[in-house]
């Protein structure tokens, strides 16, 4: 019995010695896990530190700011050229469309016959003027895409300098520039066509405004869903719905409006012919706007 009691007292003593050692070991393991977790988590972004890094990089690389300015300048020039092409093409289409609507109204009112003198020549001229319209509009959008990409590209270098990952920036340059150019294009289509095709312009306005609200969120899923809805809805409203009423020979509702043909091909000869025709139309418009006789500006002299 004494030996058994001594054994139990020895066991209790060993437990008293082991418990503090176990607690110390658990504390060390917890500290090690906490330190490992802190090492895995990247440090929080500090704006002041990022601006300091950017300023130091600029001091050591004086050409950095000049390179950013060049990229932004080139981007603005290309974007402006694309916007001018888009506006020139669509304003020309609106003017032709307004003339056609006026002639149709005159014909419906009985003031003009379809076989009136000069109508066939005028319609043929309008057909030639509208031929390069789709190529100019799509080409203007592509130029705006390139311009916006040039504007966004320096952002990747800036993110790399301040210590942020630059991989999302490449996605922004490739896809974000396309979405932004599409939003800008639909916005100007809304502005240009609002005076002639209100409901068609309203469709462009809905696409543009919804895209302008969703793009800054940066949510890829929402942007893709918006893009699918915009393309499918636009094709349904501007292509399949008018074609359906035309095949069924039913009168279209007032809210179904057409803005003309917008089909382009990948054949470079078609693009070249469209550019040549557009330049010829522009030259003719400029020549027709200049009076051939100075008497048109100064006024004819009165006959005695």
């Amino acid at each position: 019995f004494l030996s058994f009691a001594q054994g139990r007292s020895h066991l209790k003593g060993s437990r008293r010695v082991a418990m503090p050692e176990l607690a110390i070991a658990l504390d060390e393991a917890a500290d090690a896990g906490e330190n490992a977790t802190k090492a895995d988590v990247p440090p929080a972004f500090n704006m002041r530190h990022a601006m300091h890094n950017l300023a130091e990089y600029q001091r050591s690389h004086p050409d950095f700011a000049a390179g950013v300015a060049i990229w932004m300048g080139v981007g603005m020039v290309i974007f402006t050229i694309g916007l001018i092409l888009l506006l020139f093409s669509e304003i020309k289409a609106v003017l032709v469309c307004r003339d056609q609507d006026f002639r149709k109204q005159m014909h419906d009112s009985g003031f003009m016959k379809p076989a009136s003198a000069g109508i066939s020549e005028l319609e043929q001229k309008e057909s030639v003027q509208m031929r390069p319209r789709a190529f100019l509009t799509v080409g203007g959008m592509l130029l705006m895409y390139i311009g916006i990409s040039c504007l966004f590209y320096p952002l990747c270098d800036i993110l790399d300098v301040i210590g942020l990952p630059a991989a999302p920036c490449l996605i922004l340059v490739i896809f974000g520039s396309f979405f932004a150019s599409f939003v800008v294009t639909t916005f100007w289509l809304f502005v240009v066509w609002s005076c002639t095709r209100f409901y068609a312009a309203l469709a462009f306005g809905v696409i543009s405004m919804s895209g302008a609200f969703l793009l800054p969120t940066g949510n890829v899923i929402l942007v893709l869903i918006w893009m699918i809805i915009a393309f499918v809805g636009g094709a349904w409203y501007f292509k399949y719905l008018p074609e359906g009423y035309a095949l069924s020979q039913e009168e279209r509702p007032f809210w179904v409006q057409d803005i003309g043909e917008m089909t382009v091909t990948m054949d470079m000869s078609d693009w070249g012919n469209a550019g040549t025709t557009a330049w010829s139309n522009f030259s003719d418009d400029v020549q027709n706007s200049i009076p051939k006789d100075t008497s048109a500006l100064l006024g004819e002299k009165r006959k005695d």
Side-chain angles (χ1 to χ4, degrees):
F1 178 77
L2 290 175
S3 61
F4 177 75
Q6 290 176 356
R8 288 181 59 86
S9 62
H10 177 72
L11 181 61
K12 290 181 180 180
S14 63
R15 285 179 180 178
R16 293 191 189 97
V17 175
M19 288 302 293
E21 294 178 353
L22 179 61
I24 294 173
L26 291 175
D27 291 338
E28 292 178 352
D31 294 337
E34 185 178 357
N35 293 332
T37 303
K38 290 181 179 179
D40 295 337
V41 176
F45 177 73
N46 191 326
M47 179 62 71
R48 181 178 298 178
H49 182 67
M51 292 297 100
H52 176 73
N53 290 342
L54 186 61
E56 291 294 331
Y57 187 84
Q58 172 60 29
R59 292 192 189 95
S60 58
H61 301 80
D63 297 335
F64 177 72
V68 172
I70 291 174
W71 275 105
M72 297 185 69
V74 172
M76 286 299 300
V77 171
I78 297 176
F79 177 84
T80 305
I81 295 174
L83 182 59
I84 291 174
L85 283 179
L86 173 69
L87 293 179
F88 171 79
S89 173
E90 292 304 311
I91 291 175
K92 186 72 175 179
V94 167
L95 294 177
V96 172
C97 184
R98 289 175 67 89
D99 291 341
Q100 293 175 351
D101 292 343
F102 177 74
R103 292 198 302 269
K104 184 178 182 301
Q105 185 179 2
M106 295 290 289
H107 174 263
D108 295 340
S109 302
F111 296 104
M112 180 182 292
K113 296 181 180 180
S116 300
I119 296 299
S120 59
E121 292 82 0
L122 180 59
E123 290 179 350
Q124 184 178 2
K125 181 180 178 181
E126 290 176 348
S127 177
V128 173
Q129 290 177 344
M130 293 291 289
R131 194 176 300 164
R133 178 265 182 118
F135 293 91
L136 292 179
T137 300
V138 175
M141 179 180 171
L142 291 177
L143 287 177
M144 287 192 294
Y145 166 69
I146 296 174
I148 296 176
S149 300
C150 293
L151 292 174
F152 284 168
Y153 180 76
L155 182 62
C156 300
D157 295 334
I158 295 175
L159 292 178
D160 187 39
V161 170
I162 64 179
L164 292 178
C169 182
L170 297 177
I171 299 176
L172 174 64
V173 170
I174 297 173
F175 297 101
S177 300
F178 174 75
F179 295 148
S181 61
F182 183 75
V183 169
V184 173
T185 301
T186 52
F187 171 75
W188 283 108
L189 289 175
F190 159 71
V191 172
V192 171
W193 285 95
S194 59
C195 60
T196 303
R197 296 288 187 267
F198 174 77
Y199 293 100
L202 188 62
F204 285 124
V206 171
I207 294 174
S208 176
M209 297 303 173
S210 59
F213 280 111
L214 287 178
L215 281 181
T217 62
N219 193 316
V220 179
I221 297 177
L222 288 179
V223 172
L224 289 178
I225 293 174
W226 164 79
M227 203 69 182
I228 293 173
I229 294 175
F231 273 104
V232 173
W236 173 78
Y237 180 82
F238 291 106
K239 181 175 176 61
Y240 295 106
L241 196 59
E243 289 180 354
Y245 281 103
L247 292 176
S248 62
Q249 296 182 352
E250 298 180 0
E251 185 178 358
R252 292 189 299 184
F254 65 93
W255 50 272
V256 178
Q257 295 179 334
D258 190 10
I259 61 170
E261 185 68 25
M262 288 290 291
T263 303
V264 296
T265 63
M266 299 302 295
D267 190 355
M268 290 295 103
S269 62
D270 293 338
W271 284 86
N273 294 332
T276 304
T277 305
W279 177 254
S280 177
N281 294 336
F282 176 74
S283 300
D284 293 340
D285 292 339
V286 172
Q287 291 178 1
N288 294 331
S289 63
I290 298 175
K292 297 180 181 180
D293 189 3
T294 56
S295 61
L297 295 176
L298 302 177
E300 294 183 358
K301 295 182 180 179
R302 295 182 178 179
K303 294 182 180 180
D304 296 337

